[in-house]
Amino acid sequence: MSAYDDPASASIRLSNADRDAAVAALSAAQADGRITPDEYGERSAAAQRAVTRGDLAPLFTDLPESAHPSTGAGTAAPSGPPAFAPSAAPAAGYGQGGYGQGGYGGDPQSGYADAARRRQPLGGTAGVVAVSVMPFIALGLFFVCGYLIPDGFRWSWVFFALIPIAGIVVYGGGGRRGYYDRD
């Protein structure tokens, strides 16, 4: 019985490291020729969406025990913050050695480093909501001013400029600090 088939641990929620270990095990099974590339794509996507250990069990039922990840059911959380070590960027982008295969650049800790270094939106959730509803607000202002003010449609298109302005205010004018923008 694998660690995922154990009914006692089936309801335990997964960490990002658990999902990464499952995807790495699926990658190894693909490299061994046990699953096809299409099966790997489907199973790795399901592993990334998994919430509990029981959600991962069906992905490994037809694979031998040696193909299962070595994480135990009682994996303890690290006692301190993870070590944030930068990793080398893959030559071909996200697809090669990306998130699904042990974090960005193949280093499991670098995924945590990117998340810790990423800029957070101004206003948190409220800022994200403001950016999300801004197209509807701009559209409403466009029609209200267009119909209620004489010759309003001639100039009310300016309200659509609120959409990128809101994005710049909430997310910052320097753009998103992404994968290749490391300092």
Side-chain angles (χ1 to χ4, degrees):
M1 181 183 297
S2 75
Y4 298 130
D5 293 338
D6 183 16
S9 67
S11 63
I12 295 176
R13 294 185 71 87
L14 295 169
S15 68
N16 289 337
D18 293 334
R19 288 184 198 91
D20 290 343
V23 172
L26 291 170
S27 177
Q30 179 194 6
D32 291 343
R34 296 187 188 280
I35 59 176
T36 65
D38 291 335
E39 286 177 306
Y40 168 74
E42 293 169 8
R43 291 184 189 202
S44 63
Q48 290 298 328
R49 288 188 309 266
V51 176
T52 63
R53 297 182 68 77
D55 294 340
L56 292 177
L59 304 176
F60 293 97
T61 55
D62 60 343
L63 297 175
E65 282 296 316
S66 63
H68 293 213
S70 61
T71 59
T75 304
S79 58
F84 295 134
S87 64
Y94 284 104
Q96 313 238 329
Y99 179 73
Q101 297 176 359
Y104 298 104
D107 179 10
Q109 295 296 329
S110 65
Y112 301 118
D114 284 349
R117 294 174 54 191
R118 190 174 304 131
R119 282 190 191 147
Q120 298 301 317
L122 180 67
T125 305
V128 172
V129 169
V131 170
S132 300
V133 299
M134 190 54 65
F136 301 107
I137 293 171
L139 185 65
L141 289 171
F142 172 77
F143 282 121
V144 167
C145 291
Y147 284 117
L148 296 180
I149 298 173
D151 275 343
F153 285 112
R154 185 174 296 187
W155 59 267
S156 63
W157 60 268
V158 173
F159 290 118
F160 289 105
L162 294 174
I163 299 169
I165 291 171
I168 291 169
V169 168
V170 171
Y171 292 108
R176 180 172 167 231
R177 283 177 69 172
Y179 184 65
Y180 294 104
D181 298 334
R182 297 177 191 255
D183 1 41

